[in-house]
Amino acid sequence: MRALVTVSKGALWTALVAALWCMAPTEAAAQTVAEATPAPSRLTYNFGVDYMLHVSGRRNYPFSDDRFESGETFMWLRLRPRFSVRSKRLDILVEGQDTHSVNSRADGGFTSRKAWLDLLNAYVDVRPAGGWSFKIGRQQGDLEVIPRMVRTSDFAAVIRSFDVAEVGWQKKNTDLRAFVFAPLDNLPSSFNRHKEGEILWTTYGKTKVRALSIQSYLIARRNTTVTSETGIPGSGAVYAWEVEGSGSTPVSNLTWTAESVVQRGHYSTDDVRAWGVFLRGDYALPRGNLVDVRYSVTSGDGATGDGTHGLFDTFYAASTNYGGLGLIKGSNIRSFTVGGLLRLSGPLTLNWRYFNAFLNNREDAWYGSVTPNISRDGASSSHVGQETNLTLGYRVTPKLLIRTAFHRFYSGAYPDPVNGHSPFELRLQIIGGL
């Protein structure tokens, strides 16, 4: 998405360079500045607007098509007008989003894109006594209890929404929920509508026993029209069963998380047999600094037409789990990541991250999130490449954040079409609320 303003290429790059003094955080940063606050004891209401200005330039990509163009500089502005009502037993939120952008292409031309004002959130959350809660309406694509399968990527111009009906029960260390939700197609010049032929159900549970936290959920996704690997049309039903444990270790300040996802079902005439394993360790350093190490493996499918769909389905997950440039979707991947947060001085922070990715199955493809898939017959290496992410953030006020990021990818031996290219992107964002 991009904006209705006429901006020269030079002006855009000047804005990027001039802003490097302002600094910012990265990857799982929130799409809004305001933090969650406890429910008030009496009824309150609020009018507000969140805004996000993003200026970005990408260079040295080997890809260009109608979805993605290398060598472009672009700017987009997103507004989120909001009305909320809050009390101890009731929350009502109505929030829109309006995004406009302008692009300066490598050939010197300009294009503009827009997503006119539409509903991002419009729900009612009722919490009667006894730990019960009931929520119904439209929610942005950050469903908190299933972030592995549904989460909005950071730096997204248009945030995805779902229509959700949820019932929950929370008591002490136990959290149980069940909900049904339907994704929406984001349409640029008309109101968003349900994605045709798809609906999802979820059951979720989490409990804590001493220092050990255990959670599990089951997502069922139904599609009325899908196509098998051999081109046979039919219906689809994919079930994703997740189990996660986390806790402390004998080493002070070191915690661990282990998560697995098993996928079964059918995709037209194909059986679904996919899986993923995700490991993580976090270490808390002095003065609020953090460092973490992650290792992820997801299944691939190199045997096309054998009647088995073995590729791990990321559902609506954020590709930022595997890099900030959107080059890796998260299917058929072995990924090692190390990164952390450094509090440099006062409101100035640095988020840093290093990614190293391999294909789990060389016979399958490298699946991109915003870039085309790449497949190499007889590849001698599974090494996709490495990526470095640096994001500096400066918290001007509690409601104003300025951040800039530089992401660069170094191709490995597998992606022959990418050899000789080191795609990079420089980003600036101003995020605030009124």
Side-chain angles (χ1 to χ4, degrees), residues 148-285:
R148 172 66 58 192
M149 313 306 290
V150 178
R151 195 180 80 80
T152 298
S153 291
D154 199 18
F155 300 107
V158 177
I159 302 173
R160 178 181 293 277
S161 289
F162 297 86
D163 281 348
V164 184
E166 175 184 334
V167 58
W169 183 80
Q170 294 83 39
K171 207 72 168 180
K172 294 183 179 178
N173 293 326
T174 302
D175 186 350
L176 301 175
R177 309 190 194 196
F179 49 98
V180 57
F181 59 104
L184 301 172
D185 284 328
N186 296 110
L187 305 175
S189 56
S190 62
F191 284 116
N192 297 337
R193 59 170 178 260
H194 290 127
K195 185 176 181 179
E196 187 175 351
E198 179 170 310
I199 195 165
L200 301 95
W201 293 266
T202 298
T203 57
Y204 167 88
K206 184 175 183 178
T207 189
K208 190 172 183 179
V209 181
R210 296 193 180 98
L212 178 63
S213 178
I214 302 173
Q215 75 168 34
S216 181
Y217 56 74
L218 176 66
I219 304 176
R221 188 188 65 206
R222 305 262 182 181
N223 294 89
T224 57
T225 305
V226 297
T227 304
S228 72
E229 291 181 344
T230 55
I232 301 174
S235 63
V238 178
Y239 303 89
W241 177 40
E242 185 253 20
V243 177
E244 178 187 287
S246 61
S248 59
T249 70
V251 178
S252 179
N253 298 329
L254 177 63
T255 59
W256 63 272
T257 301
E259 181 182 9
S260 67
V261 178
V262 176
Q263 297 178 343
R264 294 292 184 266
H266 70 89
Y267 214 74
S268 184
T269 57
D270 295 335
D271 290 330
V272 174
R273 295 288 184 271
W275 54 270
V277 175
F278 312 92
L279 307 175
R280 175 168 175 165
D282 293 82
Y283 189 79
L285 298 168

Side-chain angles (χ1 to χ4, degrees), residues 384-400:
V384 170
Q386 304 171 75
E387 183 175 318
T388 56
N389 293 175
L390 294 173
T391 307
L392 286 162
Y394 188 81
R395 177 70 66 176
V396 181
T397 70
K399 288 191 175 183
L400 178 59

Side-chain angles (χ1 to χ4, degrees), residues 97-146:
Q97 71 171 332
D98 182 278
T99 305
H100 294 262
S101 70
V102 63
N103 287 35
S104 172
R105 302 193 309 269
D107 62 6
F110 286 89
T111 59
S112 63
R113 303 174 189 173
K114 56 186 177 296
W116 292 108
L117 182 64
D118 210 328
L119 285 176
L120 175 62
N121 288 289
Y123 64 79
V124 176
D125 186 2
V126 181
R127 299 179 298 277
W132 289 96
S133 63
F134 304 90
K135 181 184 288 187
I136 187 168
R138 185 160 296 183
Q139 293 179 239
Q140 71 183 65
D142 295 293
L143 304 186
E144 55 176 323
V145 296
I146 53 173

